[in-house]
């Protein structure tokens, strides 16, 4: 079989067509499906070239133009990991083609010069095939998982390769490259469900049906007259009897595979480049197409009717929907285009969520209401545009950072009763502007006067936050207390995710946007104030931000600096460790919390001596009946009178934590089965603790398990509340989202999270990422999170701690 063919005019034009395809993959602004709001990307984000959905409907793979692909968890609404196919981008702009293995355990990727198989659970490369420099625009996996069909297009020739993936429940075995080099100009190819036949679509407008065993074409279909039309996408029906094709003439054609007869033709797309992706619904009754007009169209294959058009991907210019897929149950559509992956509801046509990954590894998942889940910097890379004004998505953090809401919507749950406001309504009341007056300070004075002026820009003035070197020292905003009356009759052990959300829904909302989750003092349209702060030796940075009246949008943070030459005092370390095994309601008693609190205190005391003088280390331990709310608050008030800005403060809590109507609470020993203010310490009170304590370096550790169990809903809401807490206070929070059973089981004499934390505090050289012979707050947290996650998987209990760093990083101890 010849590899090279004579370069006729149609062949030359087909090569030009193939090479033109990448040019329609620009990286534009991302549009959120709303008539008056859009999201603009401020950071480079690679165009998405291909999407694939796992057979169980739980995961998505997205191949990008930058030689990488990503694995997304649909139910959790987050990116799991990023895979690098080529360390150096050598793919000629074609992007990475991706597919799942039939067992769902492996990902298959094709780049410009390699075909690789990856272990999804570990991210490791299982095997690799060198395919040489070529252009690949599709990949198709047989239903039994044995074969991968890949068309390779080179400047003067094309090849259709069939790779035998191997059969095995636990691993993919490289059995060799097969089977033959076939000539022609392939743009796309598909393998039949039974693995016996292959379809190939050509740049010259032909479709060919191949007998795989015989390695030859058994039928040629004139899909289109050649110029200006070429075949860009082909697909088999689930039963293998029919085929769909899409082309550059914006037409979708429906074929009988056996006879080669055209059954129907569908027109509706309008683009210079045409249709790049077609597929069947799982029942074979519907067809789906994505084009370079940025539209997705749903077709009734029986009647020929256009059922729906899905709009949302960025339109204009030469931006394309590059890939479309149904979820296995047919209820949703997954599409790739511009720089995003989108999920749609087939029945309603509604866009459910947008997923965006960035070149530096950050990511964001955003619902149309504006609720989002993101990596640490993912939200900072987006600007919301509305009414001619721009706002950073990060400015909506307090209200709209809701991983639980994103996950709930992606699971198809109705979240309307949980919504207090949507992003486009929040923008209608813009945040105020802040001006800081020149700071009145003397280099030799321990005090400095900070005055500021805040002016409304139409949305009023809400909470004002003042930070000193990144740590919150003044604010007047409070999350509204939960309506605890509903929960008072609910046993704590029954506070699972269903109960938590029913409780949240029980607060009836008169109208979207009428209720603010935060209350503050009324300030009018202009607000002026002055605060006296305690200076520290060296540079002092003062930052002030203000929210709109509804406390839904944060304004731009203004910063001013001054330098103090006052004498640097010896730093002190204060440790408050709390452990509660025994509660008045003994049905929720724990086993390792007291031991955890004692062990952590002991290890911190030992390691702190590498930085602090022994006389400057202070510690307090509260356990069981001594750990009442009154005693804890009294001790906090006492410490607030002693601790100075240059000191460090560590709070460790082991016991129970619960979520009630959007707020986090830790239970004290007083808890008797009924929820009330005398036996819970709320998020608001924790914020006040932090503000009272003047230390600019604070670490709060919550090893607080949940009696009702932790699932994806609880962990998502826990993440949201803890993250907002850390950002609001400007400090570091370590939190273990564990349940009661895992805490009772323990791990080698401690709770798993605490066990790993103790290990990280034990001269752990592996935690020293920057190799400076010191273990910092962020390094200790990173080690604890990674190791806890790894060990929990091995013992069959998946637990991923929350490590949130908004404060200035400082050393915890020095390696010895």
């Amino acid at each position: 079989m010849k590899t090279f063919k004579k370069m006729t005019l149609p062949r030359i034009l087909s090569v030009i067509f193939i090479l033109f395809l990448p040019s329609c993959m620009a990286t534009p602004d991302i549009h959120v499906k709303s008539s008056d709001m859009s999201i603009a990307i401020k950071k480079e984000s690679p165009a998405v070239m291909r999407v694939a959905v796992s057979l169980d409907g739980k995961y998505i793979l997205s191949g990008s133009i930058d030689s990488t692909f990503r694995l997304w968890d649909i139910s959790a609404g987050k990116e799991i990991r990023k895979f690098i196919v080529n360390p150096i981008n050598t793919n000629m702009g074609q992007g990475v083609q991706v597919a799942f293995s039939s067992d769902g355990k492996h990902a298959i990727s094709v780049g410009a010069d390699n075909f690789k198989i990856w272990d999804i659970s570990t991210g490791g490369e299982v095997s690799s095939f060198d395919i040489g420099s070529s252009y690949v625009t599709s990949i198709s996996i047989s239903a039994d998982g044995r074969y991968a069909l890949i068309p390779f297009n080179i400047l003067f020739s094309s090849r259709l390769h069939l790779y035998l993936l191997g059969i095995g429940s636990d691993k993919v075995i490289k059995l060799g490259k097969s089977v033959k080099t076939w000539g022609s100009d392939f743009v796309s190819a598909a393998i039949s469900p039974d693995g016996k036949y292959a379809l190939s679509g050509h740049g010259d407008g032909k479709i060919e049906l191949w007998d795989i065993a015989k390695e030859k074409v058994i039928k040629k279909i004139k899909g289109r007259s050649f110029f200006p039309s070429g075949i860009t996408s082909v697909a088999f029906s689930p039963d293998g009897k029919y085929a769909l094709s899409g082309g550059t003439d914006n037409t979708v054609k429906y074929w009988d595979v056996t006879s080669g007869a055209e059954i129907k033709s569908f027109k509706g797309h309008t683009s210079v480049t045409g249709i790049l992706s077609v597929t069947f619904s799982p029942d074979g009754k519907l067809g789906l197409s994505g084009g370079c007009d940025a539209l997705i169209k749903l077709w009734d294959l029986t009647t020929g009717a256009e059922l729906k058009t899905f709009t949302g991907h960025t339109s204009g210019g030469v931006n394309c929907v590059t890939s479309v897929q149904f979820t296995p149950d047919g209820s949703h559509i997954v599409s790739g285009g511009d720089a995003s992956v989108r999920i749609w509801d087939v029945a309603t046509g509604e866009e459910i969520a947008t997923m965006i990954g960035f070149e530096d590894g950050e990511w964001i998942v955003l619902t149309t209401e504006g609720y989002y889940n993101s990596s640490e910097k993912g939200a900072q890379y987006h600007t919301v545009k509305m009414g001619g004004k721009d706002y950073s998505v990060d400015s909506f953090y307090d209200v709209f950072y809701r991983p639980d809401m994103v996950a709930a919507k992606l699971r198809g749950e109705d979240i309307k009763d949980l919504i207090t406001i949507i992003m486009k309504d929040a923008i209608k009341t813009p945040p105020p502007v802040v001006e800081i007056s020149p700071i009145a300070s003397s280099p030799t004075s321990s005090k400095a006067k900070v005055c500021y002026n805040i002016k409304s820009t139409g949305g009023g003035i809400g909470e004002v936050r003042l930070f000193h070197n990144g740590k919150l020292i003044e604010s007047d905003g409070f999350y509204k207390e939960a309506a605890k009356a509903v929960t008072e009759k609910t046993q704590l052990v029954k506070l699972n995710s269903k109960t938590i959300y029913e409780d949240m829904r029980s607060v009836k909302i008169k109208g979207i946007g009428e209720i603010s989750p935060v209350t503050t003092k009324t300030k009018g349209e202009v607000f002026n104030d002055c605060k006296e702060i305690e200076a520290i030796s060296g540079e002092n940075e003062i930052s002030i931000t203000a929210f709109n009246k509804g406390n839904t949008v944060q304004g731009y943070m203004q910063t001013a600096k001054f330098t103090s030459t006052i004498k640097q005092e010896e730093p002190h370390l204060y440790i408050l460790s709390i452990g509660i095994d025994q509660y008045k309601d003994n049905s929720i008693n724990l086993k390792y919390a007291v031991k955890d609190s004692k062990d952590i205190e002991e290890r911190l005391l030992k390691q702190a001596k590498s930085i602090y003088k022994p006389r400057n280390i202070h510690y307090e331990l509260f356990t069981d009946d001594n750990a009442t709310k009154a005693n804890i608050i009294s001790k906090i008030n006492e410490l607030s009178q002693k601790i100075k800005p240059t000191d460090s403060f560590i709070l460790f809590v082991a016991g129970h934590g619960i979520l009630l109507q959007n707020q986090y609470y830790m239970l004290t020993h007083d808890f008797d089965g009924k929820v009330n203010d005398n036996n819970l310490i709320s998020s608001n009170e924790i914020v006040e603790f932090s503000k009272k304590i003047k230390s600019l370096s604070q670490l709060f550790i919550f090893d607080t398990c949940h009696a009702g169990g932790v699932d994806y809903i609880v962990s998502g809401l826990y993440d949201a509340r803890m993250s907002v807490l850390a950002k609001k206070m400007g400090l570091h929070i370590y939190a273990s989202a564990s349940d009661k059973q895992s805490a009772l089981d323990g791990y080698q004499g401690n709770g798993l999270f605490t066990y790993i934390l103790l290990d990280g505090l034990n001269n752990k050289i592996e935690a020293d990422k920057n190799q400076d012979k010191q273990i910092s707050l962020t390094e200790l947290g990173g080690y604890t999170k990674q190791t806890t996650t790894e060990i929990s998987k091995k013992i069959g209990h998946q637990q991923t701690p929350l490590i949130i760093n908004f404060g200035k990083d400082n050393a915890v101890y020095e390696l010895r």
Side-chain angles (χ1 to χ4, degrees):
M1 193 74 64
K2 294 182 180 180
T3 302
F4 296 91
K5 299 180 71 176
K6 184 179 179 181
M7 290 299 291
T8 61
L9 177 61
R11 191 173 171 74
I12 293 171
L13 290 174
S14 71
V15 170
I16 294 172
F17 163 72
I18 291 169
L19 295 178
F20 172 71
L21 281 177
S23 67
C24 70
M25 310 311 169
T27 307
D29 286 353
I30 296 299
H31 173 71
V32 173
K33 190 178 179 183
S34 171
S35 60
D36 49 5
M37 184 179 78
S38 65
I39 299 287
I41 296 177
K42 299 190 296 181
K43 187 82 172 179
E44 287 188 8
S45 179
V48 175
M49 305 297 289
R50 185 68 55 185
V51 295
V53 185
S54 62
L55 292 179
D56 58 9
K58 294 180 179 179
Y59 303 100
I60 295 171
L61 289 174
S62 62
S64 301
I65 203 167
D66 65 344
S67 291
T68 67
F69 70 96
R70 290 168 168 81
L71 176 67
W72 303 87
D73 185 321
I74 299 178
S75 63
K78 66 180 182 180
E79 179 187 309
I80 297 176
R81 63 172 47 90
K82 176 181 174 181
F83 298 79
I84 299 175
V85 177
N86 287 316
I88 300 175
N89 192 339
T90 59
N91 63 1
M92 303 187 300
Q94 66 166 316
V96 175
Q97 302 299 314
V98 289
F100 279 98
S101 62
S102 58
D103 62 6
K105 295 180 180 180
H106 299 89
I108 298 152
S109 70
V110 185
D113 55 11
N114 61 60
F115 163 54
K116 294 185 176 183
I117 301 172
W118 309 79
D119 186 308
I120 286 177
S121 63
T122 66
E125 182 181 314
V126 176
S127 58
S128 178
F129 304 82
D130 183 7
I131 62 176
S133 181
S134 58
Y135 194 100
V136 179
T137 55
S138 69
I139 178 174
S140 180
I141 308 298
S142 61
D144 62 8
R146 295 186 65 193
Y147 300 107
L149 184 72
I150 305 168
F152 300 99
N153 298 283
I154 306 177
L155 187 58
F156 297 109
S157 67
S158 298
R159 305 187 298 261
L160 191 60
H161 277 180
L162 190 71
Y163 287 86
L164 186 60
L165 299 180
I167 302 173
S169 59
D170 296 322
K171 62 181 180 179
V172 175
I173 304 170
K174 177 183 174 182
L175 297 180
K177 191 186 294 187
S178 85
V179 271
K180 189 89 172 181
T181 298
W182 296 322
S184 193
D185 303 302
F186 303 102
V187 174
S188 62
I191 193 168
S192 62
D194 60 9
K196 295 180 179 180
Y197 302 98
L199 276 176
S200 59
H202 302 250
D204 59 5
K206 294 195 301 293
I207 299 172
E208 294 179 338
L209 179 67
W210 298 78
D211 185 307
I212 290 176
K214 296 178 180 179
E215 302 178 18
K216 70 176 185 178
V217 175
I218 58 175
K219 190 175 294 296
K220 293 185 178 182
I221 302 169
K222 187 179 180 181
R224 290 158 176 78
S225 58
F226 172 70
F227 192 77
S229 301
I231 304 298
T232 54
S233 181
V234 292
F236 272 104
S237 62
D239 60 8
K241 296 179 180 179
Y242 304 97
L244 284 174
S245 65
T248 55
D249 62 353
N250 292 303
T251 302
V252 177
K253 291 184 180 289
Y254 181 37
W255 307 90
D256 183 290
V257 171
T258 303
S259 66
E262 179 184 318
I263 301 172
K264 280 187 172 61
S265 181
F266 308 91
K267 293 186 177 181
H269 286 282
T270 56
S271 168
V272 174
T273 316
I275 296 166
L276 291 188
S277 183
V278 293
T279 191
F280 284 87
S281 61
D283 61 7
K285 296 179 179 180
L286 305 175
L288 193 66
S289 58
C292 278
D293 51 6
L295 300 178
I296 302 165
K297 290 184 178 289
L298 184 68
W299 311 93
D300 187 313
L301 298 179
T302 302
T303 66
E306 180 183 319
L307 300 177
K308 283 187 178 69
T309 295
F310 302 84
T311 61
H313 280 287
T314 306
S315 59
V318 286
N319 299 314
C320 303
V321 175
T322 55
S323 183
V324 290
Q325 293 288 323
F326 282 93
T327 54
D329 63 3
S331 64
H332 291 82
I333 290 167
V334 177
S335 63
D338 44 55
S340 68
V341 176
R342 309 220 178 190
I343 301 178
W344 313 79
D345 187 294
V346 172
T348 65
E350 177 190 5
E351 181 182 323
I352 303 299
T354 299
M355 302 174 169
I356 304 168
F358 299 94
E359 288 188 344
D360 62 358
E362 302 289 338
W363 56 269
I364 189 171
V365 179
L366 184 73
T367 72
T368 51
E369 296 86 0
Y371 293 99
Y372 69 91
N373 188 11
S374 73
S375 57
E376 183 179 350
K377 297 179 181 178
Q380 298 175 22
Y381 295 165
H382 292 73
T383 298
V384 180
K385 292 186 173 182
M386 184 170 152
K389 295 183 178 180
D390 293 354
Y391 304 93
S392 170
V393 171
D394 196 46
S395 66
F396 299 87
Y397 191 91
D398 280 39
V399 178
F400 289 93
Y401 176 69
R402 290 294 299 272
D404 58 310
M405 296 273 271
V406 174
K409 190 169 184 185
L410 283 169
R411 289 191 304 274
E413 297 176 14
D414 185 357
I415 65 171
K416 66 177 182 295
D417 292 338
L418 302 174
I419 295 173
T420 56
I421 194 168
I422 60 178
M423 192 175 282
K424 71 174 185 177
D425 287 338
I427 294 174
K428 293 175 182 177
T429 54
V433 294
V434 176
E435 292 181 357
I436 303 177
S437 303
I439 297 176
S441 66
S442 167
T444 57
S445 174
S446 62
K447 302 289 184 180
K449 189 176 184 181
V450 178
C451 295
Y452 53 91
N453 173 264
I454 302 174
K455 295 180 181 178
S456 170
T457 60
I461 303 172
E463 180 181 3
V464 178
R465 297 178 184 173
L466 189 152
F467 298 83
H468 183 191
N469 286 9
K471 189 262 178 182
L472 181 72
I473 58 173
E474 294 282 349
S475 71
D476 63 350
F478 296 89
Y479 273 88
K480 289 182 176 178
E481 293 294 330
K484 301 190 189 75
V486 177
T487 314
E488 283 180 358
K489 299 177 182 178
T490 303
Q491 291 182 5
L492 187 62
V493 292
K494 294 183 179 180
L495 271 179
N496 53 24
S497 59
K498 181 180 178 180
T499 308
I500 289 170
Y501 269 65
E502 285 176 352
D503 222 10
M504 290 174 66
R505 293 177 196 273
S506 69
V507 181
K508 299 300 180 183
I509 298 172
K510 295 179 181 180
I512 297 295
E514 293 183 10
I515 290 183
S516 166
V518 180
T519 58
T520 50
K521 299 175 183 176
T522 302
K523 299 183 180 69
E525 295 297 299
V526 178
F527 179 71
N528 299 287
D529 200 5
C530 293
K531 300 291 183 183
E532 188 175 68
I533 68 164
E534 292 188 33
I536 63 171
S537 179
E539 186 176 78
N540 291 257
E541 181 181 87
I542 304 300
S543 302
I544 301 175
T545 186
F547 287 73
N548 60 358
K549 187 177 180 180
N551 293 299
T552 54
V553 188
Q554 180 181 338
Y556 182 74
M557 185 175 288
Q558 296 291 342
T559 299
K561 298 179 181 179
F562 68 94
T563 301
S564 174
T565 58
I566 60 173
K567 184 181 178 181
Q568 177 70 55
E569 297 185 33
E570 287 185 356
H572 290 238
L573 172 65
Y574 291 84
I575 304 166
L576 176 57
S577 188
I578 301 169
I580 309 172
D581 284 337
Q582 305 295 318
Y583 293 85
K584 286 188 176 179
D585 176 7
N586 57 25
S587 68
I588 63 166
N589 284 349
L590 295 170
K591 189 175 181 180
Y592 293 105
V594 169
K595 185 176 186 300
D596 286 348
S597 65
K598 291 179 178 179
D599 290 349
I600 284 289
E601 181 190 53
E602 181 181 338
R603 188 66 54 83
L604 282 171
L605 289 173
K606 178 181 178 181
Q607 296 291 51
K609 293 175 183 177
S610 64
I611 294 178
Y612 301 90
K613 293 181 178 180
R615 66 172 181 271
N616 293 340
I617 301 174
H618 316 274
Y619 57 93
E620 296 285 348
L621 177 66
F622 287 96
T623 60
D624 287 342
D625 57 358
N626 195 35
T628 63
K629 181 172 183 177
N631 286 349
I632 293 170
I633 290 179
S634 176
K635 178 53 64 175
I636 290 288
N637 289 333
E638 178 187 328
L639 290 173
S640 67
Q641 301 301 311
K642 300 177 181 179
I643 299 177
K644 298 178 181 179
T646 52
D647 298 331
S648 294
F649 174 67
I650 297 177
L651 171 68
F652 176 85
V653 180
H656 277 299
I658 60 172
L659 296 161
L660 296 176
Q661 292 174 2
N662 213 5
Q663 200 173 168
Y664 169 79
Y665 295 83
M666 56 172 280
L667 273 61
T668 62
H669 167 75
D670 319 80
F671 185 78
D672 58 3
K674 292 183 179 180
V675 175
N676 61 67
D677 288 330
N678 297 321
N679 55 39
L680 301 176
I681 295 178
S682 70
S683 298
N684 284 339
E685 290 171 305
I686 293 170
V687 170
E688 291 306 304
F689 289 171
S690 179
K691 286 194 297 185
K692 282 182 179 179
I693 294 173
K694 296 176 183 179
S695 164
L696 298 184
S697 175
Q698 297 186 20
L699 169 63
F700 284 24
I701 305 172
F702 297 99
D703 191 356
T704 50
C705 61
H706 293 253
V710 174
D711 61 10
Y712 42 78
I713 295 179
V714 173
S715 62
L717 183 57
Y718 192 64
D719 187 346
R721 294 284 59 84
M722 282 299 186
S723 295
V724 169
L725 195 64
K727 185 169 185 177
K728 184 173 184 177
M729 293 189 290
L731 46 74
H732 304 264
I733 288 183
Y734 301 170
S736 72
S738 58
D739 59 29
K740 182 183 178 182
Q741 187 58 50
S742 65
L744 285 174
D745 290 342
Y747 185 80
Q748 298 190 23
N750 289 100
L752 175 60
F753 172 78
T754 298
Y755 175 85
I756 304 301
L757 183 59
L758 287 165
D759 184 47
L761 286 167
N762 191 25
N763 287 305
K764 206 68 180 179
I765 192 170
E766 293 88 343
D768 185 19
K769 295 298 183 182
N770 62 4
Q771 298 181 344
D772 64 351
K773 305 300 182 183
Q774 290 185 333
I775 306 301
S776 70
L777 290 165
T778 56
E779 287 176 328
L780 178 61
Y783 174 81
T784 303
K785 179 176 182 177
Q786 179 179 341
T787 310
T788 301
T789 304
E790 291 173 353
I791 292 181
S792 68
K793 286 182 180 179
K794 292 178 181 178
I795 62 177
H797 159 67
Q798 191 158 344
Q799 180 179 342
T800 303
L802 300 170
I803 306 298
I804 312 156
N805 302 293
F806 283 110
K808 184 178 179 181
D809 198 16
N810 290 299
V812 180
Y813 69 92
E814 293 183 354
L815 290 170
R816 291 181 173 178

